[in-house]
Amino acid sequence: MLRVTKVPVEAIYVPTARRKLLHPETARALAEDILENGLKTPIQVRHDGKRYILVEGLHRLEALKWLGEAEIDAYLVQARKH
């Protein structure tokens, strides 16, 4: 079973290929929803020994950055490198 961990937003690396998939308007709309309802689904990250690498949840991460949050709920997963 996965456990939710608080991860500093600044410690999360977003791979270049994932950054290309970002839609700013989607992140902004999601930020408004998070303000009203909270974050419902944690993002997924893997740890490579130095930093956390985003696996899933780019728009949620960007929404929380836009809101100025310092930490985000995340599932720490074992995942292949992209």
Side-chain angles (χ1 to χ4, degrees), residues 2 4 15-17 22 26 31 33-34 38-39 45 48 52 57:
L2 295 173
V4 176
T16 305
L22 179 65
T26 302
D33 185 66
I34 290 170
L39 181 65
V45 295
D48 71 353
Y52 295 95

Side-chain angles (χ1 to χ4, degrees), residues 9-78:
V9 169
E10 66 202 30
I12 300 171
Y13 171 73
V14 180
T16 305
R18 284 219 176 262
R19 282 187 222 137
K20 293 177 183 177
L21 302 174
L22 179 65
H23 296 103
E25 289 305 315
T26 302
R28 235 173 251 154
L30 189 54
E32 291 176 16
D33 185 66
I34 290 170
L35 272 177
E36 292 178 17
N37 304 306
L39 181 65
K40 294 179 182 177
T41 305
I43 65 169
Q44 294 180 22
V45 295
R46 65 180 176 85
H47 198 265
D48 71 353
K50 300 177 194 171
R51 61 188 175 183
Y52 295 95
I53 299 171
L54 184 70
V55 173
E56 190 66 46
L58 176 62
H59 288 94
R60 286 170 277 169
L61 176 62
E62 290 301 318
L64 286 170
K65 283 182 182 179
W66 192 72
L67 292 171
E69 296 293 325
E71 292 184 322
I72 187 171
D73 288 341
Y75 290 128
L76 188 57
V77 299
Q78 299 295 324

